[in-house]
Structure formats: C-alpha cells, structure tokens
Amino acid sequence: MSDATGTTGTTDENNPGFDDMTRDIADVPAVEVITTVAVHLMSAAAVNLGLAEGGEEQKDLDEARKLIQALAGLITASATEISSFHAAPLRDGLKSLQLAFREASVVPDEPGQGPGEKYTGPVYG
C-alpha cells in the first residue's frame, strides 16, 4: 500500500521503499554523514582539478572552485561538531585541494581570494 506521496515500504530486497531508507539514515551518526559528504566533495573537486584518471579531459576549474568553496564551508561550520579527530584530516585534504587549484590556475587568485579561503584564511604553498 502506498501513502499520499506514492511511496511504499520495501517493495523487494533490491528496491527499498522511502520509509526503509529513512529509517536507515536515521541510524547513521551525524559525524559519519558529514565526513561522507566532505569526502564526496573532495573527490569531485579532485576530478575537476584534473587529478583523477583521465586528467586534463575532466578538468573544469569553475566546477572545482564551487566544490572547494562548499567543502570549506562544510568543514568550517562543522569542525566543532565533529571534533578535531575527524576535522583535521578533512582540513588537510581541503588545503591540498586549494593548493592544487592554485597550481592549476593560469592566473592564480591572490592569497585569501582562492576557493574556500574566505572560510580558511589564505593558503600558501
């Protein structure tokens, strides 16, 4: 039976319903959700910086800038909530992406003007 939105419980084992997915995400600790999102942003930024397999073909600095900006905001806003144990490696990854962005740019941004630097402060190589 479906509810007003047309969703149902589990329809089969390969296609869980909305109610089942909602219950599953409710069991995941916030720190895990935040770090997972951060890792996805990092991975997408790295691909757009041309750092993944395929390199230059997938390079899109405009997209990378947006992803790094969002990552910096997420890490900065959540750092006190996820503890330095989890935040420190995320900050290290963010800084590496910011430096890679600066190196990949034909005309690098001024220190403090690069992606995410309004949240992290200037990044120097």
Side-chain angles (χ1 to χ4, degrees):
M1 180 182 314
S2 65
D3 63 15
T5 62
T7 61
T8 62
T10 301
T11 54
D12 64 47
E13 69 181 53
N14 294 324
N15 187 17
F18 180 77
D19 294 339
D20 294 319
M21 291 187 298
T22 302
R23 277 192 292 275
D24 290 344
I25 197 72
D27 296 333
V28 180
V31 67
E32 190 173 328
V33 173
I34 292 167
T35 56
T36 299
V37 170
V39 169
H40 284 290
L41 289 169
M42 283 183 181
S43 298
V47 168
N48 282 289
L49 286 169
L51 302 176
E53 197 171 313
E56 289 295 317
E57 295 172 15
Q58 300 173 342
K59 193 173 189 177
D60 186 336
L61 295 183
D62 185 50
E63 290 293 302
R65 177 183 293 278
K66 293 171 189 171
L67 292 161
I68 295 168
Q69 183 79 6
L71 176 63
L74 175 64
I75 293 172
T76 302
S78 64
T80 58
E81 303 298 325
I82 64 174
S83 80
S84 60
F85 176 78
H86 296 284
L90 295 176
R91 280 191 199 108
D92 291 343
L94 171 59
K95 182 176 181 181
S96 295
L97 290 170
Q98 288 170 313
L99 290 171
F101 184 91
R102 187 174 303 282
E103 289 176 16
S105 298
V106 176
V107 179
D109 296 317
E110 292 293 321
Q113 301 301 310
E117 291 183 19
K118 75 178 185 179
Y119 300 114
T120 63
V123 175
Y124 301 100

